[in-house]
Every structure is written in structure tokens, then in C-alpha cells.
Amino acid sequence: MMRALLTGNGPSAKLIFPMLPRLITTALCGFAVANALAEPPPATIDLSKFPAAAVEDVVVPVPSEIFIVLDKLGTPNWKGELRDNLGTNTGNRAQIALLLGTVIADGFIAVEAEDSEKVKQIGQEVLVLADGINVRKAVIARSKSITDKAEAKDWRAVRSELDGALQDVRGAMQELGDDELAQLVSLGGWIRGTQVLTSIVGQNYSPAGAELLNQPELLNYFARRIDEMRSKNLKKEELVVKVRKLLRDIKPIIGKETITVENVQKVNKLTTDTVNAITSEDQ
């Protein structure tokens, strides 16, 4: 079974895979399929380019590399994974941060679906949510650029702007001393990304696809980030408690020798319930 290794300590730690199926190794070694096929696969994979990464405290959810892998495993129905309702801003900062992560993840999904209207909607929603956690100024330019690039159907540029929007949010939140809240943005993106991943793999199951869920060290990392939160009030927030329980519940499911289709469906149910809680106005 594929195992990930955590190298280094603290926020600069990186997760790598010592062994990967050739299909996944090749797909993840570059941003574009052409580059991935033109070069030999590396001995290790930096998980900073996986659905989420324990690098510098904040994780970019669902980057392009995961989509390359899924495209090679089948023909995902990306439009079918898009949500009509992106969620409600309740005014609770923990909920807004988690919701922002899920919305940015949806941006990557909309790009794969090549749905320019949905991308533009997401660009505006990112701006609204950023305003709710006092980092609107950091993403105004990105939001406009996302809309413009989506209008032009320049999907590679939209991906880049989505990546940049998250990094801008991260920097602004750190300047405000809200690094723990920034981690919730990362978690929201990872949860939504895992929901979509399990949906797609569950519809077209293969052991190679299910193996993408084998991220125990990443689960441990996220759990530690919550457990070590300095803000007791944030740590006790209902949604934060729910996310911590999600991490605890998922860990034994993916820790098996083979991740079966039933286990993929279990993780999908758990992440779907959590996404629904994040997007609900009843917070």
C-alpha cells in the first residue's frame, strides 16, 4: 500500500510518497499532461502539488495535478460535481473561512468543467467572503482577473488566478495575525476536494483511483493544527469541532490495505455531511 512520508518539521514540512503507481507518478510530476509524459517520473512526489499540502501552514485545495490524474482514470463529469448553491455567509468567521475554502475548490472544478459563468460567479463569491474576514483588498484584483480570464475561456490563466487568490488571502490573514483562521480556509478546500474526489472515484472505481485517498500523514497534520490552536474560542467553534471529528472518523477508513469502493463511499458521505454543515445558514 502506498504510504506518504512527512519530511522536515513545523510549517516547512513536506509530504512525499516513496512509491506510487506509475500512472499517478507520471501525472503528478508536471502541470501539463504533455510535460508529464515527456519526462521520466521522479522518485518522490511533493504533496504540495496534491489535493492539499502541509507546506507553509496554508494549503492550495484541489490544484490541477489531481485533475490530470482523475482524467487518466476515466472521464469525470465535472459539470455534475458543481453545486448550484455555494453556501451562505453566516457572519461567523470560522464558517466564512471554511466556506471560502470550499468555494475556491469549486473554482478549480468549474475550470475543469469549462463553465465560464460558474467561474465568474465563484470569482464574485470569493470577493464577498474575503470581505467577511477583512481581506477583501487582497483579492479585488484577483477576482476581476478571474472573471476576465473566464470570459476569455483562458482556463490555464484562471487556475493560476485561483491559486493566487488563495495565496493572497493567506498573506493578508497572516498580516492580521489570523494564521489559524487561514488554516480553516485550507481545510475547507481539502474537504470539498475530497468530497469531489470520492464522488468521481466512486462512480468509476479502481484501486489506483481509491489510492489517492491514502493521505494519513496529511490527516494527522490537519488534526495537529486544530489541536494546537491557540484560540480556545476558535477551537471550540461547532464547525471546527465537526471538522476535527471528520478527520478522526476518516483516518481508520483510509488506513486499510486496500481502499474499497465501500470505503470510498463512506468518506464521500462524511465529507458531504461536513460540506453541507459548512454551507448551511444554521450556524
Side-chain angles (χ1 to χ4, degrees):
M1 186 175 186
M2 175 176 60
R3 294 292 180 187
L5 301 177
L6 185 63
T7 63
N9 297 307
S12 62
K14 290 187 178 182
L15 288 159
I16 59 173
F17 285 118
M19 295 182 64
L20 284 170
R22 183 175 181 83
L23 170 65
I24 298 174
T25 302
T26 303
L28 288 178
C29 71
F31 185 86
V33 175
N35 290 339
L37 295 176
E39 299 175 4
T44 60
I45 294 298
D46 184 346
L47 203 58
S48 65
K49 295 181 179 179
F50 215 56
V55 179
E56 298 180 354
D57 291 338
V58 177
V59 181
V60 177
V62 205
S64 303
E65 285 79 2
I66 190 65
F67 296 120
I68 294 173
V69 174
L70 292 173
D71 281 334
K72 283 180 170 289
L73 295 174
T75 307
N77 177 16
W78 296 115
K79 282 189 178 292
E81 299 300 329
L82 291 171
R83 301 177 292 169
D84 292 330
N85 179 16
L86 293 174
T88 301
N89 178 347
T90 65
N92 178 290
R93 282 166 57 80
Q95 186 262 350
I96 295 171
L98 287 163
L99 184 59
L100 178 57
T102 69
V103 169
I104 293 177
D106 270 284
F108 286 102
I109 299 163
V111 168
E112 292 304 311
E114 297 188 353
D115 188 330
S116 58
E117 290 304 313
K118 179 61 74 172
V119 171
K120 288 189 284 185
Q121 177 193 355
I122 287 168
Q124 291 302 308
E125 188 65 18
V126 166
L127 190 61
V128 171
L129 293 173
D131 190 33
I133 48 178
N134 302 321
V135 292
R136 178 187 175 92
K137 289 183 179 179
V139 295
I140 288 177
R142 294 285 186 187
S143 178
K144 183 179 185 306
S145 184
I146 288 170
T147 299
D148 292 344
K149 298 296 192 300
E151 188 71 38
K153 300 187 185 302
D154 186 348
W155 304 119
R156 182 183 291 271
V158 175
R159 289 190 194 100
S160 177
E161 292 300 328
L162 286 166
D163 280 339
L166 192 64
Q167 296 308 312
D168 290 346
V169 167
R170 164 197 168 188
M173 294 177 82
Q174 287 179 334
E175 286 182 9
L176 293 172
D178 280 340
D179 54 305
E180 293 181 343
L181 206 63
Q183 190 62 47
L184 294 184
V185 178
S186 305
L187 271 161
W190 177 80
I191 293 166
R192 173 65 176 139
T194 302
Q195 179 195 19
V196 173
L197 170 61
T198 51
S199 174
I200 289 172
V201 172
Q203 293 169 37
N204 188 24
Y205 176 80
S206 71
E211 191 72 354
L212 292 170
L213 293 170
N214 185 24
Q215 304 172 42
E217 284 77 11
L218 184 57
L219 292 176
N220 290 338
Y221 171 80
F222 277 137
R224 285 198 306 273
R225 299 302 294 171
I226 293 177
D227 292 343
E228 296 171 2
M229 281 181 169
R230 298 181 301 275
S231 172
K232 292 182 179 180
N233 289 336
L234 183 60
K235 189 175 179 179
K236 291 179 181 178
E237 284 280 356
E238 182 179 349
L239 277 177
V240 175
V241 172
K242 186 175 185 65
V243 168
R244 181 64 181 88
K245 183 177 185 301
L246 170 72
L247 298 173
R248 186 165 52 247
D249 291 345
I250 287 178
K251 187 175 179 180
I253 298 175
I254 66 168
K256 301 181 183 298
E257 188 65 26
T258 299
I259 302 176
T260 64
V261 65
E262 290 79 15
N263 286 335
V264 171
Q265 292 167 349
K266 286 179 182 178
V267 175
N268 180 259
K269 175 66 165 57
L270 289 168
T271 51
T272 296
D273 288 347
T274 305
V275 168
N276 289 342
I278 292 169
T279 57
S280 172
E281 59 185 77
D282 298 326
Q283 296 298 327

